[in-house]
Amino acid sequence: MQALSPAVAAVFDPVQTATTLEETVERLGTAIRLGLLGPGDRLPPERDLAEQLGIARSTLRQALMSLTESGHLVALRGRGGGTFVSDAPPLAESSRVVLDAGHWREVLDQRIAVEVGTAVLASERAAPDDLLRLREHVETMRIVEDFSAYRRADVFFHLGIAEAARSARLLAAMTELQGQMSELIGHIAHPAPVLARSNEQHADLVAALERRDGWAAAQIVREHLKGTEQVLAGLMP
């Protein structure tokens, strides 16, 4: 793997939970579905990965076996072997998410709090390199016609805002939310004009960050999130 971005590096932070197996499967699976670990990427050797995650090798083996059985990973033997992200990993936990009991309303509410706050901090802390990467993601979304490619760039854009905010906790929260949103977004149609409008808001947000205008950044993010809220509200019980 190449030099790790903060978002990818966070995938391999030590696991700190009583349910280490479940947390490991969830973290690696989410990273794969979001494209942080892309098709063909090789995971670190088992011993190194267990040490990075702070878990027993037996626990890691169980997690890798689970992800292999689910189609996220493939294990190759022999010279040049190892554990790799599959060429076509699942894009969601399931083919359809159940929208019940207000659970997804809470996800959307949490997204507002995290993304608006993150944008304000990014307006104060973003470096020129952060802004350059964000513009590159905007350009990718402008020219792609395939939604899966658009969505991947969209994920990297939102994680890029969190990276620019220089907050490890917000980056972890943003990663978790993007994983949950990938499940929700499967319910929504993706007409080209809607995607184009969404990407215009991305560009406006980058401009606000460049001006160090936290108020404008917060307003743009809030407006940006409304579209998803309104569509999903019509699907919720």
Side-chain angles (χ1 to χ4, degrees), residues 144-154 185-186 188-190 195:
V144 298
E145 297 181 356
D146 175 64
F147 176 71
S148 63
Y150 180 100
R151 172 58 183 157
R152 180 156 295 180
D154 183 49
I185 286 172
I188 304 174
H190 314 291
L195 297 181

Side-chain angles (χ1 to χ4, degrees), residues 138 190 196 210:
V138 170
H190 314 291
E210 189 170 26

Side-chain angles (χ1 to χ4, degrees), residues 18-100:
T19 55
T20 53
L21 173 59
E22 293 83 354
E23 169 67 14
T24 302
V25 171
E26 179 182 5
R27 186 187 296 182
L28 293 176
T30 297
I32 291 168
R33 290 192 300 277
L34 292 181
L36 296 176
L37 301 176
D41 279 355
R42 181 177 184 174
L43 297 188
E46 186 178 286
R47 177 179 298 174
D48 295 343
L49 183 54
E51 183 176 340
Q52 285 178 264
L53 295 172
I55 62 177
R57 291 182 68 177
S58 59
T59 301
L60 176 62
R61 290 192 193 102
Q62 293 178 58
L64 297 180
M65 183 180 301
S66 176
L67 289 165
T68 300
E69 292 175 352
S70 64
H72 292 81
L73 298 173
V74 293
L76 302 179
R77 298 186 179 278
R79 179 176 295 181
T83 303
F84 299 83
V85 178
S86 66
D87 290 336
L91 297 178
E93 288 282 6
S94 59
S95 60
R96 184 159 183 83
V97 177
V98 178
L99 300 174
D100 61 1

Side-chain angles (χ1 to χ4, degrees), residues 1 19 33 41 65 91 119 129 156 164 169 172 179 182 207 211 234:
M1 295 173 62
T19 55
R33 290 192 300 277
D41 279 355
M65 183 180 301
L91 297 178
D129 285 349
F156 284 133
R169 289 195 177 192
S182 288
R211 298 193 308 270

